[in-house]
Amino acid sequence: MGQQENVATSLAGAVSDGISASLAPVDAELARRYPGDPGTRQPVHTVYVPGDTFTAATLRTWGDEALKALDEHAPDAAALAEVLGIPDELAGPVHDRVRAKLEREPVEDLRIDFEDGYGPRSDAEEDEAAARAARLVSEAYAQGTAAPYTGIRMKCMEAAVRDRGIRTTDIFLTGLMRAGGLPDGLVLTLPKVTYPEQVTAFVRLLDAFEQAHGLPDGRIGFEIQIETSQSILAADGTAAVARMIDAARGRATGLHYGTFDYSACVGVSAAYQASDHPAADHAKAVMQVAAAGTGVRVSDGSTNVLPVGPTPQVHEAWRLHYGLTRRALARAYYQGWDMHPGHLPTRYAAVYTFYREGLGQAAARLAAYVSKTGGDVMDEPATAKALSGFLLRGIDCGALGAEEVAELTGLTRADLDAFASPRRGTLTVTAP
């Protein structure tokens, strides 16, 4: 023990108290606007199915068609690895997990579409389809066969279709309430948002519905679909998407990039409309910065190149989809859209390869951080948060097993949650 230091100060306690008092409004504003990640599961994709074709068998049909495509065009681990360039040591684990996922839970997030994928119909026809969707969704949750997240995309808040979108939303939500209540995995998607005032209007709609049914304020959240240039850059030069998050008053759960509407809006020709176009990268980067810390998650868009036809054509489409998905994951877009059952094998192959490739390093770095043993990388709390988030996302989607992560890190799920969302609890990890 060295000599004990003589600690002295010059400022009275009133100085610190005064500073804290002056910053109290800022503290409250930071807590309100930037609560951090909600700590819940984020689906790896969203599947859109038109409202008139959605049935009780839709999810199983998608899974069966995806398995059929896998069996026909990549019947074993070696074949899938060769097509996609998966490392040999990961081929077996990835292929096995993909098959198991398609058998158990082929779709993580289902959106029953009453917008572009549904088109203009008579009011009577859309009324019927919305009511039927509510009934089928309620039955699926009651039977345990629903996707973890399910909901609808209604028509937007533009004048020509506004009343129709409001009515469809009302019919669907009312049907759920009449059948027993809103499911925990309910998700609504508001498309073609251009002005924050359209978000405010949708919030008013949900406020009114909650009041009509005695639901807690804010019970119903929704995603904002980014499909217009005005939603990224407003007329006054500000980032409109940030104002949209604020306009949602805590209800926004996601920002979803619409590849083709946005590309067309900024003048990209059809042959070059893709999620890796520079215009797409710019839009998603703005979305990502606007959403950071707010608890609102960002989703990538989709590819319209379908894996259909002879095997060489399917393989080419698979490689494209796999590459785009891996690219998005590296850029922290952990969710995307899938438009066809044939996209499911490569969605899960890309996601599982991404997490299994990074498992060893992430686990080792986090274990070294916790035990303070050091290593060849000097990590800090922010990195520990990122490492924990990586492992949790891998567990949630089925790429990683909770047991294997615990064995490699010495950490429980609760420990990982505490690292990933430190504001939500006190971390009490004992170093192994």
Side-chain angles (χ1 to χ4, degrees):
M1 296 292 292
Q3 181 179 349
Q4 186 173 0
E5 296 293 337
N6 181 22
V7 178
T9 64
S10 302
L11 302 177
V15 174
S16 178
D17 292 342
I19 291 173
S20 293
S22 70
L23 289 176
V26 174
D27 295 339
E29 185 72 351
L30 283 170
R32 182 184 73 82
R33 288 184 180 272
Y34 303 105
D37 189 86
T40 55
R41 174 183 179 182
Q42 180 180 12
V44 302
H45 71 168
T46 302
V47 163
Y48 282 79
V49 176
D52 58 328
T53 64
F54 172 63
T55 72
T58 292
L59 296 185
R60 188 61 265 153
T61 298
W62 272 64
D64 290 343
E65 290 184 11
L67 284 166
K68 180 181 177 181
L70 190 63
D71 290 340
E72 181 176 351
H73 303 293
D76 54 38
L80 186 65
E82 182 178 0
V83 172
L84 302 179
I86 299 172
D88 291 342
E89 66 274 14
L90 295 179
V94 168
H95 184 268
D96 291 348
R97 279 175 164 77
V98 170
R99 283 201 64 90
K101 181 73 169 181
L102 296 176
E103 292 168 353
R104 182 187 74 255
E105 186 185 79
V107 174
E108 291 196 356
D109 185 27
L110 174 68
R111 206 68 70 250
I112 305 162
D113 193 14
F114 289 95
E115 201 229 0
D116 284 351
Y118 184 72
R121 309 292 179 95
S122 69
D123 284 339
E125 186 177 359
E126 186 160 339
D127 283 355
E128 175 71 17
R132 185 171 62 90
R135 175 177 58 80
L136 292 174
V137 168
S138 294
E139 291 172 357
Y141 274 103
Q143 297 163 5
T145 58
Y149 298 93
T150 305
I152 64 169
R153 177 171 70 170
M154 69 293 297
K155 291 177 174 62
C156 69
M157 282 290 167
E158 293 177 356
V161 294
R162 182 185 304 139
D163 289 345
R164 182 63 258 180
I166 291 172
R167 181 171 174 82
T168 296
T169 304
D170 186 11
I171 291 171
F172 179 72
L173 294 177
T174 300
L176 293 178
M177 291 298 298
R178 290 168 63 91
L182 305 181
D184 289 339
L186 174 67
V187 186
L188 304 178
T189 302
L190 180 64
K192 293 182 176 58
V193 180
T194 304
Y195 281 77
E197 289 81 0
Q198 293 168 325
V199 174
T200 299
F202 198 62
V203 169
R204 287 183 59 190
L205 169 64
L206 299 181
D207 281 343
F209 186 87
E210 288 168 351
Q211 292 168 12
H213 289 272
L215 294 170
D217 181 45
R219 166 64 180 85
I220 307 171
F222 63 95
E223 302 162 339
I224 302 170
Q225 205 158 353
I226 305 301
E227 302 177 272
T228 67
S229 61
Q230 295 91 344
S231 60
I232 295 297
L233 190 68
D236 61 1
T238 60
V241 66
R243 292 164 56 200
M244 290 175 184
I245 293 174
D246 191 51
R249 289 179 27 215
R251 292 183 185 270
T253 60
L255 301 174
H256 283 226
Y257 177 68
T259 303
F260 305 104
D261 282 274
Y262 187 90
S263 297
C265 182
V266 297
V268 178
S269 61
Y272 297 97
Q273 292 177 357
S275 61
D276 59 352
H277 190 280
D281 284 340
H282 171 260
K284 287 179 286 188
V286 175
M287 292 162 57
Q288 188 175 50
V289 173
T294 65
V296 178
R297 283 142 168 188
V298 175
S299 173
D300 198 2
S302 62
T303 175
N304 60 357
V305 179
L306 304 184
V308 297
T311 293
Q313 185 172 322
V314 170
H315 285 178
E316 184 177 353
W318 272 358
R319 282 189 286 267
L320 173 65
H321 186 238
Y322 179 88
L324 290 173
T325 303
R326 288 297 306 264
R327 183 181 189 272
L329 290 167
R331 286 159 174 75
Y333 308 131
Y334 300 113
Q335 185 175 353
W337 302 7
D338 288 326
M339 301 180 69
H340 188 273
H343 285 139
L344 300 186
T346 37
R347 169 68 60 182
Y348 292 121
V351 170
Y352 291 175
T353 302
F354 175 76
Y355 287 113
R356 296 209 65 81
E357 278 182 345
L359 170 60
Q361 185 183 65
R365 287 176 66 178
L366 188 56
Y369 175 84
V370 172
S371 63
K372 297 179 172 58
T373 57
D376 60 353
V377 178
M378 183 176 292
D379 287 323
E380 55 184 52
T383 308
K385 177 179 178 179
L387 292 168
S388 298
F390 175 89
L391 296 172
L392 285 167
R393 285 189 292 271
I395 292 171
D396 285 342
C397 72
L400 311 176
E403 300 79 9
E404 66 177 331
V405 171
E407 183 176 349
L408 291 171
T409 62
L411 302 175
T412 66
R413 172 72 191 236
D415 296 331
L416 294 174
D417 282 333
F419 272 121
S421 301
R423 289 188 181 185
R424 298 182 176 274
T426 302
L427 187 64
T428 56
V429 176
T430 302

